[in-house]
Amino acid sequence: MSLLEHPTAQRLLDETAISERAIQSLVERIDTHLERYRPCFVRSEQRENAALILRGKLSHLERKTIEPIAAEAGVRRRAVQNFVGAGAWSDDAVRSKLRAHVVEEIGHDDSVLIVDGMGVPKKGDASCGVARQWCGRLGKIDNCQVGVYLGYASHGGHALLDAQLYLPAERANDAAHRELTHVPDDVAFRTKWELARDLIESTGATVPHGWIVGDDEFGRVSRFRDDLRAKKRRYALDVPCNTLVRDLRECHPTQRPLPPYRSVAKWAEDQPQRAWRTLTVRDGEKGPLKVKAISTMVQAHDDERGDGPRERLVVIRSLESTPRTWYVLSNAKAEVDLKEIVRAHGSRHRIEELFAEGNGEVGLDHCEVRSWLGWHHHVTLSLLALWLMQVERRRLGKKRPG
């Protein structure tokens, strides 16, 4: 069963689906929306192709790839394919406009930046970055192409702001693959957490936010947390259940040796029931979504450096019959209300909703171009189409709040 066939994914798609009539309205408004983005496409044929691709991504087409989009519009495929695969237009310029548009519509100082990776299964190995690697969509190691994405969640809505293709070390060091897929000479191997850090750095100065959240693929990396802390960026990042910590409440100035490290799971297990607080994360379909949470100040153990800096451990547990548990490390100070950290962490699910909607509605995962530039062009146009859909949803919601 694919990820999109999973009941949870189906529910998310149902929740985010827009009616055919509303989609048609949006398609008709594409030219109005594109006025903001036209300066990013210098030549008239670029502007025409950008509008054509966006209309196709927001259309009834089941497959949102170049060939059916071109066929639906009655134009030659090759020109559209060249626009996406090798067009001389700037992804940075379009994404910069998109971020400014997002800030204008839903920007807020206490918003959350979300980092996450998304793998798309691929056959063959001709596409840029494709390799046998972990694919969350399949829940196993398989042939796939992985992007690192930056999402944004605020009280007013959410959006995908930026993305970078992950080039595994074996591909980054493969001269033939680099030449075949036109990887620029200045692109070297970067870990996923380094890509996430770069996305945050390039975006953080222009997008107001109060928190950075991400799953344990990023939170487990102490250097990632170090970098965020050095830049005074407040984070609440998941870590694995076997992460070793020392509870600083149990440490006394004269005590030697210091208390031993224990896993975050064991620490949570040792806490009395009365220490846990019941908190509301957000409003859900069936009423307020509540969890139990507890926190303390800790030192996390790192295999390379030993004792880590002072951080705040937060353990969050759902109230389901079979509860789920999240272990979170944050640089939030002790005086920051636990409820605020839990709410920020609760925004992490928004990027999964965006992936589901991006894949289901605008063909984010329907990438058939093989080059480095082509992947980034495809993703840029998909992020823009997804955001324009969000803008229309907000417009329609204001007219019909029910």
Side-chain angles (χ1 to χ4, degrees):
M1 181 175 64
S2 73
L3 177 62
L4 289 180
E5 292 171 330
H6 191 278
T8 301
Q10 288 296 310
R11 177 179 59 79
L12 291 175
L13 289 173
D14 288 342
E15 290 175 357
T16 55
I18 296 180
S19 69
E20 184 175 347
R21 183 177 178 181
I23 288 289
Q24 183 58 38
S25 171
L26 173 54
V27 171
E28 292 168 355
R29 287 168 56 82
I30 284 294
D31 287 342
T32 302
H33 286 302
L34 273 180
E35 284 301 321
R36 179 188 297 263
Y37 297 92
R38 286 187 191 282
C40 302
F41 303 103
V42 178
R43 298 163 57 186
S44 60
E45 59 265 34
Q46 290 179 339
R47 294 192 290 271
E48 291 168 3
N49 281 322
L52 185 151
I53 289 289
L54 290 170
R55 290 192 191 102
K57 285 184 171 294
L58 294 166
S59 73
H60 66 282
L61 290 172
E62 182 177 349
R63 191 75 183 161
K64 308 295 177 72
T65 52
I66 293 168
E67 187 167 355
I69 288 175
E72 178 75 8
V75 300
R76 295 180 61 183
R77 173 178 57 84
R78 187 173 297 277
V80 184
Q81 192 170 39
N82 183 67
F83 169 74
V84 179
W89 52 275
S90 169
D91 292 295
D92 289 341
V94 177
R95 294 182 192 183
S96 179
K97 288 279 188 183
L98 184 152
R99 291 192 290 269
H101 197 177
V102 170
V103 171
E104 179 183 315
E105 291 281 336
I106 63 172
H108 199 281
D109 289 340
D110 66 355
S111 298
V112 178
L113 289 177
I114 314 161
V115 291
D116 203 356
M118 185 181 77
V120 177
K122 288 285 185 179
K123 294 180 180 179
D125 58 1
S127 295
C128 191
V130 170
R132 286 189 61 80
Q133 54 191 320
W134 176 257
C135 181
R137 186 166 179 171
L138 299 177
K140 63 179 182 178
I141 292 176
D142 210 329
N143 220 47
C144 67
Q145 193 176 39
V146 176
V148 176
Y149 290 78
L150 185 68
Y152 188 73
S154 78
H155 300 302
H158 44 282
L160 289 176
L161 300 181
D162 214 342
Q164 180 73 55
L165 178 62
Y166 172 64
L167 197 62
E170 65 190 87
R171 290 307 191 191
N173 298 324
D174 184 340
H177 181 79
R178 294 180 67 101
E179 182 177 4
L180 178 68
T181 58
H182 306 285
V183 178
D185 292 340
D186 60 350
V187 173
F189 170 69
R190 307 278 285 172
T191 62
K192 292 175 188 174
W193 75 263
E194 288 174 317
L195 295 179
R197 179 190 61 188
D198 293 347
L199 292 175
I200 291 167
E201 284 305 302
S202 64
T203 299
T206 59
V207 176
H209 63 280
W211 294 91
I212 293 166
V213 302
D215 66 19
D216 64 13
E217 181 174 16
F218 300 96
R220 72 173 69 222
V221 182
S222 57
R223 287 181 59 192
F224 182 52
R225 304 197 312 271
D226 289 345
D227 283 0
L228 293 177
R229 196 164 44 248
K231 295 293 177 63
K232 300 188 184 305
R233 298 191 185 281
R234 196 165 55 170
Y235 59 81
L237 297 164
D238 285 19
V239 294
C241 62
N242 60 355
T243 302
L244 297 176
V245 295
R246 175 183 287 138
D247 190 339
L248 294 179
R249 295 178 307 177
E250 300 171 359
C251 299
H252 303 286
T254 59
Q255 181 181 359
R256 290 294 183 273
L258 293 171
Y261 282 100
R262 53 186 156 168
S263 72
V264 289
K266 182 64 171 66
W267 179 88
E269 182 185 318
D270 292 342
Q271 305 312 304
Q273 286 299 316
R274 65 179 182 277
W276 293 77
R277 291 174 56 187
T278 300
L279 301 170
T280 299
V281 179
R282 64 180 185 276
D283 291 332
E285 289 182 354
K286 300 178 181 179
L289 178 62
K290 296 180 180 293
V291 298
K292 285 187 176 294
I294 190 171
S295 75
T296 190
M297 303 306 295
V298 300
Q299 277 183 313
H301 180 74
D302 186 283
D303 290 337
E304 295 181 1
R305 66 184 179 187
D307 294 344
R310 182 183 178 91
E311 290 180 281
R312 190 164 172 181
L313 170 66
V314 178
V315 183
I316 305 167
R317 186 168 292 160
S318 70
L319 301 184
E320 299 161 312
S321 55
T322 303
R324 292 172 293 163
T325 304
W326 297 269
Y327 305 97
V328 181
L329 284 177
S330 175
N331 59 340
K333 296 179 180 179
E335 56 265 28
V336 175
D337 194 329
L338 177 59
K339 185 175 183 178
E340 188 177 348
I341 304 173
V342 170
R343 281 188 171 176
H345 178 269
S347 297
R348 192 165 66 78
H349 77 288
R350 291 296 186 190
I351 201 165
E352 297 297 338
E353 294 178 4
L354 286 162
F355 287 156
E357 187 172 4
N359 294 339
E361 298 284 2
V362 303
L364 176 59
D365 59 344
H366 297 176
C367 181
E368 292 185 349
V369 287
R370 295 181 171 181
S371 67
W372 170 271
L373 181 63
W375 186 91
H376 289 89
H377 276 0
H378 162 80
V379 168
T380 295
L381 294 167
S382 298
L383 299 192
L384 180 54
L386 183 59
W387 169 240
L388 296 183
M389 184 175 288
Q390 299 286 344
V391 172
E392 284 299 290
R393 178 177 286 119
R394 284 170 52 78
R395 181 180 67 86
L396 292 170
K398 287 176 181 178
K399 289 186 174 182
R400 296 190 296 276

